[in-house]
Amino acid sequence: MTLTKQDFSGGLPPPSELGIAGMDSGRGKEKAVLESLAGGDPFGSVEPVKNPTGRLIMHSMAMLGREFCYAVEAAFVTPVLLSVGLPKSLYSLVWLISPILGFVLQPVVGSASDRCTSGWGKRRPYILALGIMMLLGMALYLNGDMVISALIPERGKQRTWAIVITMLGVVLFDFAADFIDGPIKAYLFDVCSHQDKEKGLHYHALLTGLGGALGYLTGAMDWGHSVLGRFLGSEFQVMFVIAALVFLICLTVHLCSIPEAPLRDDSTETKLLLKEDGPSQYGSIESVNNGYLKPGYVQTRMTMKCLLKALLSMPSHYRCLCISHLIGWTAFLSNMLFFTDFMGQIVYHGNPYAPHNSTAYLTYERGVEIGCWGMCINAISSSLYSYLQKALLPYIGLKGLYFIGYLLFGIGTGFIGLFPKVYSTLALCSLFGVMSSTLYTVPFNLIAEYHREEEVSLIRIKKEQAIGRGKGIDCAALTCMVQLAQIIVGVGLGFLVSAAGSVIVVVICASAVALTGCCFVAFFVRYVD
């Protein structure tokens, strides 16, 4: 953990007063100041000031806005893609481009944010840029067809360009919405004390569930025949206006929630609380050199070679946490991405390939609609369980919360596969929310625990093994497991469904993977005492 001269609000004497002739006495004064700030130990960790609950809720508003937009995408992307005439052969391409880009680039963005020297802070510039990209992507996939129709008069070109613009919008939105989670979590870790980090993560999960529920409920309304629908042209345009307003308000509140201290790279003015006395070791705290930030450290460019070196050299407990996160998201996405189709085909016995005016197809559509209500139940239960987690944590700890989340999800999806009935399936959707809340909170709580342990132990990064590694790249390495899970699910489950000839294999696989994850989080993930 590093503190700059600015963080001490002028508490350290300027370099001009620490002349060479009086260097020894100057160092003595500096040590006295550091000791007073660190509670008598110049090498002790310094916790950020405790933040009011209102500030933590404001910080969590970004998650509400992001999840609201995600719900809108889940409800409207498939109808939009069908309406512009996207060939079936391109469906998998649309859903795979974004996670592949995210898996490759997200750690790079996380590392770059660790080194951002903007006066506004390290994380907020990236959050703002990614938020703008989310809005642009949403504008393209919800309004692209209308804009192309107005700009291009030729019917043949209209269809081609509408497909291109819509695909570009979906990829851009998914890319930015997936990326933004890492800087938001790193922002929380940077500006909060350890207790506030735990509270903040619970508020993140609470408002994530609330945002998803509001998004699904808003999408379920018939906006096409409303006054807004007639004024704006279609329900797609209405949803864009609503989602854009909600996200802009939430993003603005988030960016104004907790100030960030800017990172400085000034070898003459930047003083560090901690001094490197011996061989440095791997850790998540920025590298130091004789009490000064290493010259050129901030400006160091994160190359792919350096990135891979940093990721491969991560401690085994970080690697195990990433693997458990990958297992959890693979199980969760296996079920959620195919859930509405499962409801239409298996629970309601409909046929998506039947003629659109047939009873079989209409039955399938009814099942998809009920599946959307199941997704809403999942979002609401996720929000409620995130609040319940705070009460359970003192009794069962992070290990208990992690294990229970995977166990209940595995049992719930298993029962849905064995007994695919309407009401039992909807009731078991509440267990999906337990898994969702677990994935959004417990792994990041563990990351915060690991960081705290390193700060207390004064662990450093080995100069000969890795470049400076910060909280941004640790959060990014964890969240890029979500993209890898999307790639695995997108590529693998299609083959399994084709081989089995039934969508029921999806929930069976989800259950098996989640129960495997139970064993992994119980025996391989390390928990800090």
Side-chain angles (χ1 to χ4, degrees), residues 87-132:
K88 290 184 177 181
S89 59
L90 296 179
Y91 277 174
S92 59
L93 182 63
V94 172
W95 298 116
L96 285 177
I97 291 176
S98 175
I100 290 173
L101 287 175
F103 179 71
V104 173
L105 297 178
Q106 193 164 42
V108 178
V109 173
S111 177
S113 73
D114 283 334
R115 292 158 172 75
C116 178
T117 56
S118 168
W120 205 30
K122 293 193 295 183
R123 316 298 179 187
R124 288 187 291 179
Y126 285 87
I127 294 171
L128 177 61
L130 291 168
I132 293 172

Side-chain angles (χ1 to χ4, degrees), residues 175-197:
F175 176 83
D178 289 342
F179 260 53
I180 203 171
D181 189 49
I184 288 174
K185 293 294 192 299
Y187 176 18
L188 177 72
F189 291 174
D190 286 342
V191 298
C192 290
S193 65
H194 184 70
Q195 291 75 16
D196 283 350
K197 289 173 189 177

Side-chain angles (χ1 to χ4, degrees), residues 160-176:
T160 301
W161 278 105
I163 291 174
V164 171
I165 293 297
T166 303
M167 287 180 63
L168 177 62
V170 173
V171 171
L172 185 62
F173 174 84
D174 279 339
F175 176 83

